[in-house]
Amino acid sequence: MKERVFTANLALPEAGLVKLTWGNVSEINRDSGLIVIKPSGVPYSTMKACDMVVTDLNGEVLEGKLKPSSDLATHVELYKAFKEINSVVHTHSKNAVMWAQAGREIPAYGTTHADTFYGVVPCTRQLTSKEVSSAYELETGNVIVETFKEKNIDPLAVPGVLVYGHGPFTWGQTPQKAVENSIVLDEIAEMAAVTEVVNDTVLPIPQYLLDKHYFRKHGANAYYGQI
Amino acid sequence: MKERVFTANLALPEAGLVKLTWGNVSEINRDSGLIVIKPSGVPYSTMKACDMVVTDLNGEVLEGKLKPSSDLATHVELYKAFKEINSVVHTHSKNAVMWAQAGREIPAYGTTHADTFYGVVPCTRQLTSKEVSSAYELETGNVIVETFKEKNIDPLAVPGVLVYGHGPFTWGQTPQKAVENSIVLDEIAEMAAVTEVVNDTVLPIPQYLLDKHYFRKHGANAYYGQI
Amino acid sequence: MKERVFTANLALPEAGLVKLTWGNVSEINRDSGLIVIKPSGVPYSTMKACDMVVTDLNGEVLEGKLKPSSDLATHVELYKAFKEINSVVHTHSKNAVMWAQAGREIPAYGTTHADTFYGVVPCTRQLTSKEVSSAYELETGNVIVETFKEKNIDPLAVPGVLVYGHGPFTWGQTPQKAVENSIVLDEIAEMAAVTEVVNDTVLPIPQYLLDKHYFRKHGANAYYGQI
Amino acid sequence: MKERVFTANLALPEAGLVKLTWGNVSEINRDSGLIVIKPSGVPYSTMKACDMVVTDLNGEVLEGKLKPSSDLATHVELYKAFKEINSVVHTHSKNAVMWAQAGREIPAYGTTHADTFYGVVPCTRQLTSKEVSSAYELETGNVIVETFKEKNIDPLAVPGVLVYGHGPFTWGQTPQKAVENSIVLDEIAEMAAVTEVVNDTVLPIPQYLLDKHYFRKHGANAYYGQI
């Protein structure tokens, strides 16, 4: 599991999604409740699989000499609220950050979006001063959960979010899937920004095309891929 | 032929045109009517030439243990309607997708465009709900063919199209040529978008310059290249 | 000399300035009047130094089994008119093409520009139908020369141009310098486009700053570099 | 120390921040007052650690056969005025240059900005004709110092600046940190430009979020990273 989380973390700079020590991937084992996460501020070039930190669902470190990612509390809240997900990824990938900084949800402008995200990728509200000063990372998790509850969005159908003024979190049933969702999110963020430049009155794709592409790849009637 | 289709498929991520398992290349043998196409959802890094799937013009798999690309039916419709082409490529290359999402044809703003596409790269109409829910991939092929017929465009002179809200298809007489056309289409899509930013009243190049560049490279009087 | 021209040609795809077989570099020996130029339409990956084509100032091939670049006549006109230059480069590098397609000269918005180009990078007028249909490549050279004469620009002080609706040509006293000028031209073209997006009322830098940076690197009082 | 400065200089093209011979890194030893800086106009590919030039705080060369970077006087002024910094980096990285050319400070639109820069990244005023013609590089240093004094900005809290019409300088307590600040500056410059395209009425993040992110990584109560 450390190996898997390590490999998924390395995939972030390889995909061009993180610079310096930014970004982190975690995985949870739902049976034991153990979380494996990247250590805080360690360069990707020297990081080893054994540097991964093991914690419980209270964020207590159980194994590892290094401090866990400072974003651990956000991951924990997501694991608590979204029971179906087993991995969380956070990056500052530039195109997703641009939308987060703009404070806008990403409309579903095409099938590339629909293949992975069943509807808009939401953007949270701004955190309040009190939330930021009390338990910032935990409240970041809470505002994500709040966003999905208020908008009635299924976190498996829309496996990612923009945190206002900050950047993207994505998730999935495996670290590999969660990383792939980060790759797709950054790609559709870039596509959407320029789509609006090319046509400033563009509309989202119709619901029936969103349905078609999403369910071509997901759910009982999926027929994309080898199973 | 499998080897050639395999190589052409690998050229897509190398050229930066596809991410993850997106994109597909096929080739048809016009004598036998056999089509070789990429399998669905297989990672480029582990794909082998022998994984290529052989089908007939009804889309029936004749050889190969894997399922063919889910876009096979689109390729088949293009082969049926455009008799002169022997290879079809589909990608979600980001710049071409931006124009497809914007629902706009790409104007011929320069000679880079004219060297490969003899006139605008058209964008199809939106598919109807009925078309999407009945036989989506086949109807995607049909709407491309309809676009070329209605606009009276020769598919060899304009070897590519944008499918509204989706992305580009290109084609050619060989897989290598079809892939090259995808590379050019993405490049001119990016150039055209920023051209409009730099000059928001820009006009297409005049017909005589379009003629000159296109026929410098194509047809009986071509003088570009070694033959 | 073939080796030098070959190396300079290879530098174009390495610098990301050309795709496929686009682009070409030539060099002239001013004593013998011999020109060495890239062959037409040959892939960079298989091209060899011995494939370079030798011609005279009439464009007659003197050595080489391959046809010279179809843009040879443009190079020849530039060598005839601009006596101080020994190498010409043509690319379809995307940022320079965007300005050429927009039909706009590139304003000197900063010192990166001023370090290499002493003033605006001009854009030619559109070629007429007659010019295009008669001797297109030669007339392309002529319109460049006309532009520099009419605007009274010294081709050594501004070693590059945009051909309307087409793309950039650059030059220099060596192939290496001419290629470097293509790299800089594409970079400042990109910088200028986004500069206008960030500030839509931006003005060029003042003449005294243009003077300072240009003459810091060029002319008798230059003090940049090791001599 | 030469080795360290050499390595930091090489990090610039590796990070995609400089082309050709642009950019330079220096370091000062505060005890001896000695400065080590990149030589002027030497290609990164052939540069060696022993090519680094040693000067004193008057800019006099003490060691090294090559001329120091032409920007040395700017570095010297920064070392004189900003006592806490030990390394200075100058690049023409394209996104930072775009803002410098636009003559705009970069607003703090998100936490990526706040993690490194505690508030706007300022842009200097335009240098006067007299300043440019008298002692240009020294006056470039002076206008940076003036900017930080007039706006009452702590150079350690905002370790970078845009020089109007020119480009970025960054600094730090080590060459590695100063280079990292250049990487971050270019990244946030790109993010900020497109953020404004995606939302043309975007506001900076609130002060409390800026505080939170900056002090999460800096100062006595920092808790990011391993110490």
Side-chain angles (χ1 to χ4, degrees), chain A residues 78-128:
Chain A
L78 295 178
Y79 288 133
K80 284 183 183 166
F82 301 159
K83 304 293 187 192
E84 312 86 344
I85 70 172
N86 302 316
S87 179
V88 170
V89 175
H90 174 49
T91 79
H92 284 210
S93 73
K94 65 184 173 194
N95 298 292
V97 165
M98 289 160 183
W99 284 83
Q101 292 189 160
R104 286 186 59 196
E105 62 185 26
I106 306 177
Y109 284 138
T111 61
T112 316
H113 184 121
D115 280 337
T116 299
F117 297 96
Y118 186 54
V120 300
V121 177
C123 183
T124 69
R125 64 170 170 81
Q126 184 84 256
L127 286 176
T128 66

Side-chain angles (χ1 to χ4, degrees), chain B residues 15-50:
Chain B
L17 297 185
V18 306
K19 304 213 158 189
L20 304 173
T21 63
W22 306 346
N24 42 71
V25 182
S26 73
E27 183 180 3
I28 189 170
N29 181 311
R30 288 290 179 181
D31 294 331
S32 64
L34 294 182
I35 296 170
V36 177
I37 192 166
K38 176 171 168 286
S40 182
V42 172
Y44 286 92
S45 58
T46 58
M47 196 169 67
K48 293 189 290 290
C50 62

Side-chain angles (χ1 to χ4, degrees), chain B residues 109-112 115 180 184 187 190-191 194-195 197-199 202 206 208-209 212-213 216 223-226, chain C residues 19-22 40-41 66-67 70-71 92 94 97-98 101-102 104 126-129 132 136-137 165-166:
Chain B
Y109 284 138
T111 61
T112 316
D115 280 338
E180 285 182 14
V184 177
E187 189 82 353
E190 184 174 9
M191 288 172 171
V194 183
T195 296
V197 170
V198 173
N199 180 353
V202 65
Y208 59 81
L209 186 56
K212 178 67 189 180
H213 264 266
R216 203 166 83 134
Y223 58 94
Y224 180 93
Q226 293 304 324
Chain C
K19 303 214 159 188
L20 304 172
T21 63
W22 305 347
S40 182
L66 298 170
K67 281 167 56 186
S70 55
D71 296 312
H92 284 211
K94 65 184 171 193
V97 165
M98 289 160 185
Q101 293 189 160
R104 287 186 58 197
Q126 185 83 258
L127 286 175
T128 65
S129 172
V132 167
Y136 173 60
E137 292 82 6
H166 187 165

Side-chain angles (χ1 to χ4, degrees), chain A residues 21 40 67 102 127 136-137, chain D residues 199 208 213 216 223-226:
Chain A
T21 63
S40 182
K67 281 168 57 186
L127 286 176
Y136 173 59
E137 291 83 5
Chain D
N199 178 355
Y208 59 81
H213 263 266
R216 202 166 83 134
Y223 57 93
Y224 180 92
Q226 293 303 324

Side-chain angles (χ1 to χ4, degrees), chain C residues 199 208 213 216 223 225-226, chain D residues 21 40 67 92 102 127 136-137:
Chain C
N199 179 353
Y208 59 82
H213 263 266
R216 204 167 82 134
Y223 57 93
Q226 293 304 323
Chain D
T21 65
S40 182
K67 281 169 55 186
H92 284 209
L127 286 175
Y136 173 59
E137 291 82 4

